[in-house]
Amino acid sequence: MADMKTIETLDAAGKSVIVRVDFNAPVQEGMVTDDTRIRAALPTIRHLVDAGAKVILMSHRGRPAGTGFEEELSLAPVARRLGELIDAPVVLAADITGEDARGRAAALGEGEVLVLENLRFDAREKKNDAAFAAELASLADAYVNDAFGTAHRAHASTAGIAALLPSYAGYLMENEVTTLTGMLESPKRPFVAILGGSKVSDKIKVIDALLDKVDTLIIGGGMCFTFLLAQGYEVGSSLKEEDWVERARAMMDKASSLGVELLLPVDVVVADAFSADANTEVVPVDAMPETMMGLDIGPQTARIYADAIAEAASVFWNGPMGVFEMKPFEAGTRAVAEAVAANDAADTIIGGGDSVAAVNQFDLADRMTFISTGGGASMELVQGEKLPGVEALR
Ligand code: ADP
Ligand code: MG
């Protein structure tokens, strides 16, 4: 982004550089089970190591109580995995800004990497406490934020510290912000957005914001039923938010007054239970049985959506089309994922935790232009909100 200082402009040689990364990786039995987030930070870490910086990494992981060290939420497994990935020694401090961290930070050599313990072991992190930010800042000469996934939170390590040190955006941060804002500010047209997931109430701001930008808006997932209610259909025992029907109707009106094509399901897969071994049936949206729930878009809908996606020059996708975690209800999400992947000519951006999981499940991630690592952060950016972690770098 225009006015964010990037890591390229940091003369890192010999300097202590403290880097906020998103190492919130899943761990089982002391092993990292998915190292995507660690890999995502490697370009920045490698750059600093190669430049001869003394690199101090900090992150949160999980949801500690904030009352001190918790073995099962330690960053030890992450530090170990990082060491394997960069093939260099990585040291873990026993604390965050305590004696051990300070001693190790001071002893760090050029090109060496130190990981501080889980930031959220200290309750002051989430409070953006000034003293905690100052303790973190005192460890280094410069600050880099590469944790796009937490950029929507104003915490000591994402906001407070940036006021105390020369601050820079890491490669991941820069890439996320540039790609997402580029899509919003000057998308190639036609621009098609696909929104799904569970609830309208979660996504209403995204729908609203995207309607101002897109040529076509495709709606699937649990939230389509609130739209179907707004269209006057009965939706049986599907997920529905009666309080949001009015808002859904307002969104439909907004789409038509802006000339945005709004696509809603014409058929759905219904089931007699929220279960992988439920009895299922494909029905048109005007014939949903009272006792059944819609758990995926139907095949005719999937074809219509795939056709619209094939015409797109840019695509933004957030939220699965159905309960893709269960085999009988994955077809709609798979069809959309395949259509997005097949459109090689388009800029295709996937954002949101479960949407990314779906794309990975179908093994299509490397056929997308860009996969955002920040669920909440990317949604807030798309909604047009300012991210504290990004603003702090301006
Ligand atoms: P993302 O993380 O990509 O933003 P969400 O968190 O909004 O997506 O929604 C994902 C969840 O929505 C998935 O767990 C999926 O099972 C659920 N979902 C999708 N369609 C339905 C449906 N028809 N009924 C209930 N849940 C649904
Ligand atoms: Mg989710």
Side-chain angles (χ1 to χ4, degrees):
M1 266 206 112
D3 46 0
M4 221 164 46
K5 262 189 296 174
T6 69
I7 196 176
E8 297 275 333
T9 66
L10 164 62
D11 179 15
K15 290 201 181 113
S16 290
V17 181
I18 190 162
V19 188
R20 177 54 156 107
V21 287
D22 180 0
F23 279 172
N24 187 19
V27 170
Q28 261 168 33
E29 286 164 20
M31 300 278 284
V32 172
T33 52
D34 179 350
D35 63 6
T36 310
R37 287 191 164 141
I38 305 172
R39 288 175 187 275
L42 290 182
T44 291
I45 297 169
R46 286 211 174 98
H47 172 86
L48 291 172
V49 166
D50 292 347
K54 304 167 184 173
V55 183
I56 303 165
L57 304 177
M58 57 176 169
S59 176
H60 76 286
R61 186 167 85 73
R63 297 169 181 271
T67 51
F69 183 79
E70 293 174 49
E71 177 75 48
E72 62 284 7
L73 291 175
S74 165
L75 283 177
V78 169
R80 216 166 357 195
R81 183 71 191 124
L82 176 65
E84 291 163 10
L85 289 170
I86 62 173
D87 202 19
V90 171
V91 181
L92 177 70
D95 50 28
I96 312 166
T97 55
E99 208 175 312
D100 192 62
R102 290 199 307 272
R104 290 182 190 276
L108 211 54
E110 295 181 10
E112 292 179 358
V113 179
L114 171 69
V115 179
L116 305 180
E117 255 304 354
N118 192 334
L119 287 164
R120 293 190 191 167
F121 286 167
D122 193 320
R124 296 178 298 167
E125 159 66 356
K126 286 173 75 174
K127 292 181 185 147
N128 194 12
D129 179 86
F132 187 56
E135 288 172 25
L136 292 169
S138 73
L139 299 174
D141 309 308
Y143 166 67
V144 171
N145 190 349
D146 209 23
F148 178 71
T150 45
H152 57 316
R153 307 278 183 239
H155 294 167
S157 68
T158 63
I161 190 173
L164 305 173
L165 288 174
S167 303
Y168 304 84
Y171 289 118
L172 175 66
M173 175 70 89
E174 185 193 359
N175 204 4
E176 290 270 7
V177 174
T178 316
T179 307
L180 291 167
T181 37
M183 172 193 77
L184 295 169
E185 284 167 8
S186 48
K188 287 197 270 166
R189 296 192 179 277
F191 178 18
V192 175
I194 310 154
L195 292 177
S198 46
K199 294 178 174 171
V200 174
S201 51
D202 282 349
K203 301 283 168 82
I204 196 84
K205 286 185 181 165
V206 181
I207 299 172
D208 198 6
L210 283 173
L211 279 174
D212 294 324
K213 315 262 181 199
V214 300
D215 301 290
T216 300
L217 183 63
I218 293 175
I219 304 250
M223 70 181 181
C224 76
F225 300 102
T226 303
F227 280 89
L228 294 175
L229 284 174
Q231 284 183 311
Y233 296 117
E234 306 281 347
V235 301
S237 55
S238 305
L239 191 75
K240 55 192 161 208
E241 293 174 282
E242 315 265 6
D243 293 349
W244 291 82
V245 173
E246 268 318 307
R247 287 297 296 278
R249 195 173 289 124
M251 291 300 123
M252 291 162 69
D253 292 343
K254 178 171 176 173
S256 74
S257 70
L258 290 171
V260 172
E261 182 183 33
L262 182 69
L263 296 181
L264 290 164
V266 296
D267 61 349
V268 288
V269 178
V270 293
D272 62 0
F274 189 85
S275 154
D277 51 19
N279 296 303
T280 69
E281 208 180 318
V282 174
V283 296
V285 289
D286 61 0
M288 289 186 61
E290 210 185 309
T291 57
M292 295 180 96
M293 63 186 86
L295 294 181
D296 195 9
I297 57 171
Q300 196 189 335
T301 305
R303 271 193 300 278
I304 294 168
Y305 289 6
D307 288 346
I309 293 163
E311 299 293 313
S314 49
V315 175
F316 175 71
W317 181 18
N318 165 261
M321 297 291 100
V323 184
F324 74 100
E325 299 94 333
M326 297 181 199
K327 193 88 190 159
F329 315 113
E330 68 154 41
T333 305
R334 182 189 285 276
V336 162
E338 283 173 351
V340 177
N343 191 340
D344 291 322
D347 292 335
T348 53
I349 300 181
I350 319 296
D354 294 288
S355 330
V356 172
V359 166
N360 285 326
Q361 179 176 314
F362 305 135
D363 210 11
L364 294 169
D366 57 4
R367 295 185 54 197
M368 307 302 179
T369 309
F370 188 76
I371 304 236
S372 178
T373 56
S378 45
M379 287 310 106
E380 290 200 15
L381 205 140
V382 170
Q383 284 167 31
E385 278 162 46
K386 291 200 185 310
L387 309 185
V390 173
E391 294 310 307
L393 300 175
R394 294 193 193 290

